[in-house]
Amino acid sequence: MLILLKCREALNGKKPIFPAREVSRVQVTHSMPPEKKELFKSLNDWAAENILVLLKDVEKIWQPTDFLPHSESEGFYDEIKELRERCSEIPDEYFVVLVGDMITEEALPTYQTMINTLDAVQDETGASLTPWAVWTRAWTAEENRHGDLLNKYLYLSGRVDMKQIERTVQYLIGSGMDPRTENNPYLGFIYTSFQERATFISHGNTARLAKHHGDINLAKICGTIAADEKRHETAYIKIVEKLFELDPNGTVLCLADMMRKKITMPAHLMHDGRDENLFEHYSAVAQQLGVYTSKDYADILEYLVVRWGVEKLAGLSGDGARAQDYLCGLAPRIRQLDERARARAKKVATSVSFSWIFDRQVTI
């Protein structure tokens, strides 16, 4: 393959395009034992009755235009002016986080691709009628409104560099993501349970801050998206709850495995063509504003451990019992380590420029 690429370059002088950000670690694939596939096939009726019912009717659910100036209206330009006036006093730090959240939502093709790598639940034809495939497509369709709405709002606000944002989205989708779910639906649904709760918290906090800064419409936008994320969280939590019911030992081992590897944020390969540490800088601003923090990470874990009744599991194998002990004590350990790290950290402010806001600097 490398020889072929070199030959092509020599012939036409063009270089092949590779992802801007690459995963350096070994990527494990298809770790779920084949016999476990039958468990998911046996859950088809259950998924239809318990998961598909959490979807909303397309004709009744909200759409992005419900929250934006109406282009067909005679007052369109006045509505845009009002939108810009409402957001004019919102600080740059907030827009950095809102843009990062929007970019994360806009990388939706990657997330649908990731779910469709999961053995036994993937959409094998692109239009499969299995409940798992129907859910994934409909979940994607609902999620698609989130990035669409935030993108349009940011464009109309005039506060951000849309071209740099668009480049970042393209870079991110091109780079993909590595959640370390190994084509294993146990790991995949644990990951999505955690992530949907994380996005629910993040959007809820951006709603709170928008209200604080006086933009009630933006607060409603973020709050509405948060409500969607909460409903989607409910679906994924229900799936893992069912796995704990049917296979407690296998599920607790997978939960411990995911937490030992740590839950990777979906936009961890974010890049804008300039900042090599863009995701870390965006995350630092989110932490500083209280939009999504290390405390939230520990709280989500603790919530899931309680919600899935991990402490009450009985009849586990030796490895399963050790995984149970590890999980039940993990959230307090994470908080303790975070407190120590903060105590050791230098209290020196650093300024970082973000291309998303025309290279203006933000203090972190």
Side-chain angles (χ1 to χ4, degrees), residues 11-32:
L11 286 171
N12 56 30
K14 294 182 179 180
K15 293 183 179 180
I17 299 297
F18 290 102
R21 309 287 286 176
E22 297 180 13
V23 176
S24 57
R25 57 177 170 252
V26 174
Q27 298 181 64
V28 179
T29 60
H30 304 288
S31 64
M32 184 175 71

Side-chain angles (χ1 to χ4, degrees), residues 52-256:
L52 296 188
V53 295
L54 293 172
L55 296 166
K56 295 286 187 179
D57 186 331
V58 176
E59 294 298 325
K60 297 177 181 179
I61 201 170
W62 65 268
Q63 296 297 334
T65 50
D66 296 334
F67 301 90
L68 297 166
H70 295 91
S71 59
E72 76 282 4
S73 168
E74 290 184 1
F76 179 54
Y77 296 107
D78 290 333
E79 291 179 37
I80 294 175
K81 184 179 178 181
E82 290 172 7
L83 183 153
R84 292 190 170 205
E85 288 174 353
R86 284 196 305 268
C87 71
S88 62
E89 299 302 317
I90 298 177
D92 281 340
E93 291 86 346
Y94 179 90
F95 274 98
V96 166
V97 174
L98 190 65
V99 167
D101 286 356
M102 182 274 277
I103 289 167
T104 302
E105 294 283 359
E106 289 281 65
L108 182 62
T110 298
Y111 315 144
Q112 183 178 22
T113 298
M114 186 277 286
I115 292 176
N116 277 329
T117 69
L118 302 178
D119 293 332
V121 297
Q122 70 269 47
D123 186 347
E124 294 184 332
T125 67
S128 170
L129 293 179
T130 67
W132 303 110
V134 170
W135 164 262
T136 298
R137 292 197 304 272
W139 168 83
T140 303
E142 289 191 353
E143 287 277 336
N144 186 63
R145 298 167 304 139
H146 302 171
D148 192 18
L149 174 53
L150 292 174
N151 190 314
K152 288 185 173 75
Y153 173 88
L154 288 166
Y155 173 76
L156 293 172
S157 77
R159 291 288 304 276
V160 297
D161 186 336
M162 287 306 299
K163 189 162 188 177
Q164 274 303 113
I165 292 170
E166 289 160 354
R167 284 176 176 145
T168 308
V169 171
Q170 186 170 352
Y171 274 129
L172 180 56
I173 296 174
S175 294
M177 67 181 292
D178 178 25
R180 306 180 77 180
T181 48
E182 304 173 6
N183 310 103
N184 184 332
Y186 282 79
L187 301 179
F189 291 137
I190 288 168
Y191 179 85
T192 50
S193 297
F194 195 104
Q195 277 302 331
E196 290 287 10
R197 187 161 184 83
T199 52
F200 159 66
I201 290 169
S202 179
H203 288 301
N205 283 327
T206 54
R208 173 180 56 81
L209 289 171
K211 183 178 181 181
H212 172 75
H213 291 299
D215 192 335
I216 303 303
N217 189 58
L218 178 56
K220 189 175 181 181
I221 287 172
C222 296
T224 301
I225 293 172
D228 264 11
E229 303 291 9
K230 181 63 176 175
R231 181 164 48 84
H232 295 161
E233 173 204 331
T234 299
Y236 289 117
I237 284 179
K238 275 180 169 287
I239 294 170
V240 179
E241 185 176 52
K242 190 66 175 177
L243 294 177
F244 268 111
E245 176 189 325
L246 299 176
D247 183 13
N249 199 73
T251 308
V252 77
L253 288 171
C254 285
L255 178 57

